[in-house]
Amino acid sequence: MSLKDSIESVKNDFLTDFATVSESSGTDMLKQKYLSRNGLVTNLFKQLGQVSKEDKPLFGQLLNQLKIELNDKLASLNSNSNSVSDSDKIDIFMPEKIYSAGSIHILEQTMLDIKKIFSEIGFNVAYGPEIDDDYHNFSALNVPEHHPARDMQDTFFIDKDIVLRTHTSNVQIHLMEEEDPPLRFIVPGRVYRNEAISYKSYCLFHQVEGLFVDKNVSFSQLKGCLEYFAKKMFGANRKMRWRPSYFPFTEPSAEVDIWDEQRNQWMEILGCGMVDPEVFKSVGYDTNVWRGYAFGMGVERIAMLKHDIDDIRLFYNGDVRFLRQF
Amino acid sequence: MIVSIDWLKDFVDIKETPEELSEILSSVGLEAEYTDSFSEISNVIIGKVLSVEKHPNADRLNVCSVNDGENNYQVVCGAPNVQAGQIIAYAKVGSVLPGGFKLEKIKLRGVESSGMICSAKELNISDEHDGILVLPETCNIGGEFFKEYGYRYLNIELDITPNRPDAFSHYGVARDISVILGRELVSHSFTSKVKEFKPSFSLTIDDQNDCSRYVGGLLSNVSIKPSPQWMQERLIAVGQRPINNLVDISNYVLMEMGQPTHIFDWEKVQSNEILVRRAKKKETIKTLDQNSLELDETHLVISDGINPIAIAGVMGGLESAVDEKTTTVFIESAYFDPVTVRKSSKSLRLSTEASKRFERGADPEATTNAFWRIVALIEKYADGEFQGEYLDLISNEFTRPVIRLRLSEVTQIIGLEVKPKKIVDILKGVGCEVSSLDDSELECIPASYRPDISREIDLIEEIARIYGYDNIPADNSLYGDMVVEDSDPQSYLQKFRETMSSLGFFQHYSNSLQNKMTANIIGDNSIAMLNPLNKDMAYLRTSLIPNLIKAAHLNIKNSIKSIRLYELANIHTQSGQKLNQMSEEIRLAGIVFGIEQKSSVHSDEVLFDIFSLKGILASLLGEKVYKNLDIIDSEDTFYEFGFTISYKDDLIGSFGKLSKNIFKTLKVDKVDMFAFDICIEKLNFSKSVMKFEPINALPKMARRINLVMDQPDSIKPVLNLIKDKAGEDLIDYYPVEIFEDAESIGENKKSVVFEMVFQHKEKTLEDKDVNPIIDEIIDIAQKNFNAKLRV
């Protein structure tokens, strides 16, 4: 049999074999039979040495074509599955490819929770400026100049009369200037304090202010509202206590503590009270008709308490080891 | 402000523990914090020093004999003030001092010493550690230190809000306690025994708005010495440092009654004229704290007619200060205007115990009471003599406001009807004069020590405060009795939707009605309609995957080369014909097809494969769940090859490459497509709050081992081995490199490099901590898994 016939014969044999072989399992067998060290195609190459010099290029070309053809065919069998899709070969315990999903910041998540809880009991959400005048941040809120109450909040001044707001309470005044009563708003936002940075205080933090103005509003309703909030935020069984306190813009004023099992102590979560008549006077509300309550809570403090976070700086330093935990 | 419990007991009966007292004070608005500084001290008793002899080998040490009531002990003591006869606090061998310091029998320079004679610092009383604490003779030798003596230092720290100057003293705090507990408040009034006054000095007030009242007087023949021990103890208990009898008396009255006073050395005052005036521009004064200050018109000063001798309400001058030679003193007890003092203190950046009280508003009527209290104390403890040298100058008569209180407004603001009798009791308790105008209104005149009460709302606050915020019911009419713990039980799903979006998946919503073949693609358990629209929509789906495949195909037809789709929806199955045998379950399923990463100038094309799914699941399930998954081969015909995943022995889903059967069933062309299917309800951890785990900043240590294994063997046994043996410091482990080469490592062999990362929670790891672990792992791997370490 001439080499040319042999090539044809091997090719036909292969095509016959190929037709009977299914899917990938037969690939190895065919590779072994035709293309391995002692395979049929390899043997044909060995015969090339006995061919005359002038015929060599032609047969060489034919043989190469045959080899490429066989490889292509075999590859086509494999093509339905790429290199790792052969179930026998997959070691599923090889590591996963990295898909790194990000996360929503825990402060944002906490703020969303707070907004959701208050929206359930009919509060709208409003926003206000972080840079404000002394009037809206202090005077209109019954904090006159030269009053010791100003010591309660260390203030960043931009100008003699312009401050970075020290609380979201400034938005109380803006809201009441713009809208007639009744009102029911919460105001989330960033506030600033001129305080040294440490594990427990930062030069800025976030507050959610609440303002409820209506005709018949009482301290008892304020308690109802904030107990609803605390139960939803911290669970119905958390111990809570109400302490008299002092804020110039509310009277009576209170602070609310939540019992912290972890630290075995009371932790303050918010300040609140009945809107002081002086505040209503500064926005021109009739104090004989309208009464209200207001509250303000620190978002960081709530998140720290809820998730056992022990250092406020973690919120702001962008450490992925922190961010990815939530 | 720190208050001493022992001191409060002078004015009101207190039976409560310090903890209970703190709660009570907090409940009336005086935020209290009690830190028990004695709880960690044990086995310290009262002892007596019998003898003191020089240590034979050390100049500064003494060898003392201490009696504990029964036996004598030899104690080496380094304190310079130790003397025979002293009653002292003796910490016996075995006792524990602050900081967990436990005493043992030791030898000091060759002399045996049993126990220790304590300083105030060692007993958590003050920072004083220059010498030992000498106790009063009255202490019972052998008695327990705390019971005999230490209790005097029990204190509570109060955070006084700016509206409560009345509570800035022991008497003020006692007043609140007496009102809230309904206990009698001991009267604390002082007047002169002398009735005729003939002052040899004059008093002038420039501006009545700056100073509405000034009380002054002279005492002669005073002798300067240390104040009595009980007074020193009380000052120490509230964090003050005793100086001498006169200074201590002034401080004592400040802490006791809240009225700041000042004592001048009258010999050093240049004239007999005391003038309260504004400072002149560029006028200077050297204050008690040795600072020279330049003053201007902002500052109110006391002058001797020529120079300022004190900054009014802030600090006295050094030149007129009391010293050991002082014999005649001038006592000032005045009322200075809050805003004036505040401006002065702010501009000088000088905040003192006096300025804090004046700027909040002192009691305009407390001036004489404090003055006569001081006089009495100086007479008793500094031998001073009062001879009628006294002036009380009222420049501006103080008038107390008259406030009408509507009972209806009390009810409106508090939201609770408080009985009129209770209202009257509370208001009288906080010092108001109360009279009834009629059934609906009261007239109240607040006490002079309550400058914060001037309006109706201020009275209502007092009523609410003393009534107790906790006793005011919460009006929940806004939402009724019902508080739903979780108003949306499916809110937890949002987090998964967000993760899927961030992984590049599009959310799919598809028809839940399918034909019989498709609906029964997994088992024969789908629910059929009796009256289907048509037979292609006759069954409820039992899996989300078929519709995802169809959607993928639509996109493939449209030449989309890379597809990531997921659906989050209910599936329905039945185990029988009855309603309670039909079940509904939320599933999250997704598919990926084609190109995971397009080829570009930066990288070659990457196709989705089974490890893409693992990566997606890792992000979706979160690190905690993913790292603890059990992955087992799935028998499911759904997959050409697939795996089930379980978490804590609970099957939560599966993933794999879709089999050609499913494509056949759906009558679409087979392509390489990978899918996952998760029982998402089992991943609802929303009820347990995420807790922050402290970040470990200690260095990590990574180690690699290279094992040559049989090619077909899974790496799982090696991973399990590492996990089992590496201990709790192992924070991560994974294969980093796989290498096959018949020539260098042999036929049917693979070389796998495993990396292990270690990190300790408290210390920096060293080689010696990790090496034995690595050796053991290699040893077992070689024995059990036919693996060889490749060097």
Side-chain angles (χ1 to χ4, degrees), chain B residues 340-402:
Chain B
T340 308
V341 173
R342 183 173 167 80
K343 281 182 181 169
S344 174
S345 151
K346 280 269 148 186
S347 80
L348 297 169
R349 296 185 185 185
L350 195 59
S351 177
T352 60
E353 291 292 337
S355 74
K356 275 188 228 163
R357 284 166 176 82
F358 281 123
E359 67 183 47
R360 283 166 162 81
D363 176 3
E365 289 176 4
T367 47
T368 50
N369 204 31
F371 180 87
W372 295 118
R373 172 74 165 146
I374 297 256
V375 169
L377 289 170
I378 292 180
E379 283 175 339
K380 190 162 180 187
Y381 297 107
D383 315 318
E385 289 165 26
F386 178 73
Q387 288 152 338
E389 293 267 15
Y390 172 78
L391 259 178
D392 177 4
L393 179 61
I394 300 171
S395 70
N396 197 357
E397 192 73 54
F398 173 71
T399 48
R400 293 153 69 185
V402 179

Side-chain angles (χ1 to χ4, degrees), chain A residues 80 85 91-92 94 96-97 99 120 146 151 219-220 223-224 244 251 253 266 276 291 306-307 325, chain B residues 409 413 455 458 469 472-473 475 479 487 596 614 619 626 641 672 690-693 714-715 738:
Chain A
N80 282 342
S85 64
D91 183 354
I92 197 62
M94 285 295 171
E96 67 282 356
K97 293 186 179 175
Y99 275 77
E120 285 164 11
H146 305 302
D151 289 348
F219 191 85
S220 176
K223 280 190 74 172
E251 180 150 354
S253 302
W266 289 107
D276 195 291
R291 295 177 183 86
K306 189 166 176 178
H307 305 287
Q325 291 193 30
Chain B
E409 190 66 7
I413 293 287
R455 302 170 299 165
D458 302 326
Y469 285 3
I472 298 171
D475 177 350
Y479 53 86
S487 55
E596 183 182 349
K614 279 188 82 182
S619 283
Y626 181 76
F641 51 90
D672 284 345
M690 300 174 283
K691 295 292 183 186
F692 168 64
E693 282 168 19
S714 169
I715 60 165
I738 301 212

Side-chain angles (χ1 to χ4, degrees), chain A residues 9-50:
Chain A
S9 158
V10 167
K11 187 175 175 181
N12 285 331
D13 286 353
F14 175 80
L15 289 175
T16 316
D17 284 348
F18 185 76
T20 59
V21 167
S22 70
E23 290 284 318
S24 51
S25 59
T27 329
D28 289 346
M29 192 263 282
L30 289 181
K31 253 188 192 163
Q32 187 69 30
K33 182 172 173 185
Y34 292 94
L35 297 167
S36 69
R37 197 181 293 215
N38 294 310
L40 294 174
V41 177
T42 321
N43 283 335
L44 289 179
F45 271 100
K46 287 174 187 163
Q47 293 177 31
L48 205 57
Q50 298 150 24

Side-chain angles (χ1 to χ4, degrees), chain B residues 10-227:
Chain B
D10 282 4
F11 309 117
V12 67
D13 190 22
I14 295 171
K15 303 181 190 82
E16 288 71 16
T17 64
E19 289 88 350
E20 287 165 346
L21 189 61
S22 293
E23 282 287 323
I24 290 165
L25 290 169
S26 287
S27 80
V28 292
L30 307 177
E31 195 181 352
E33 195 181 339
Y34 170 67
T35 37
D36 186 351
S37 46
F38 298 111
S39 63
E40 53 183 351
I41 299 172
S42 78
N43 218 0
V44 176
I45 53 153
I46 306 294
K48 184 170 185 175
V49 182
L50 299 178
S51 63
V52 178
E53 279 161 32
K54 279 265 163 248
H55 191 291
N57 307 320
D59 287 348
R60 292 195 181 163
L61 296 181
N62 289 304
V63 181
C64 312
S65 173
V66 174
N67 179 274
D68 72 346
E70 287 174 13
N71 303 307
N72 295 344
Y73 298 91
Q74 177 170 294
V75 181
V76 175
C77 178
N81 65 332
V82 65
Q83 281 173 25
Q86 284 171 335
I87 306 293
I88 46 86
Y90 173 51
K92 293 174 101 162
V93 169
S95 61
V96 181
L97 295 178
F101 174 54
K102 195 174 173 182
L103 283 180
E104 282 161 23
K105 196 173 203 171
I106 50 163
K107 269 191 178 175
L108 279 170
R109 296 273 184 112
V111 177
E112 212 161 74
S113 180
S114 301
M116 186 167 93
I117 303 174
C118 301
S119 71
K121 186 174 177 151
E122 283 148 357
L123 294 165
N124 255 353
I125 286 172
S126 73
D127 287 336
E128 187 63 54
H129 61 273
D130 291 344
I132 55 162
L133 180 70
V134 181
L135 306 181
E137 302 274 333
T138 50
C139 285
N140 221 344
I141 295 165
E144 205 249 321
F145 165 75
F146 175 76
K147 275 195 188 136
E148 285 291 325
Y149 184 76
Y151 70 90
R152 299 173 197 221
Y153 294 95
L154 285 182
N155 61 38
I156 293 176
E157 187 159 5
L158 298 177
D159 189 2
I160 306 286
T161 53
N163 62 324
R164 293 295 307 277
D166 66 294
F168 231 130
S169 66
H170 282 80
Y171 195 72
V173 172
R175 186 161 46 219
D176 259 18
I177 297 171
S178 90
V179 183
I180 190 79
L181 296 178
R183 291 184 195 151
E184 200 188 334
L185 181 69
V186 176
S187 160
H188 199 54
S189 312
F190 300 87
T191 48
S192 167
K193 280 167 269 174
V194 180
K195 292 294 167 219
E196 230 172 284
F197 303 123
K198 34 180 194 308
S200 63
F201 61 92
S202 71
L203 272 180
T204 318
I205 296 169
D206 253 7
D207 185 342
Q208 59 172 27
N209 293 322
D210 285 341
C211 176
S212 58
R213 189 167 187 176
Y214 194 106
V215 173
L218 292 171
L219 274 86
S220 48
N221 295 329
V222 297
S223 47
I224 307 294
K225 53 191 172 187
S227 55

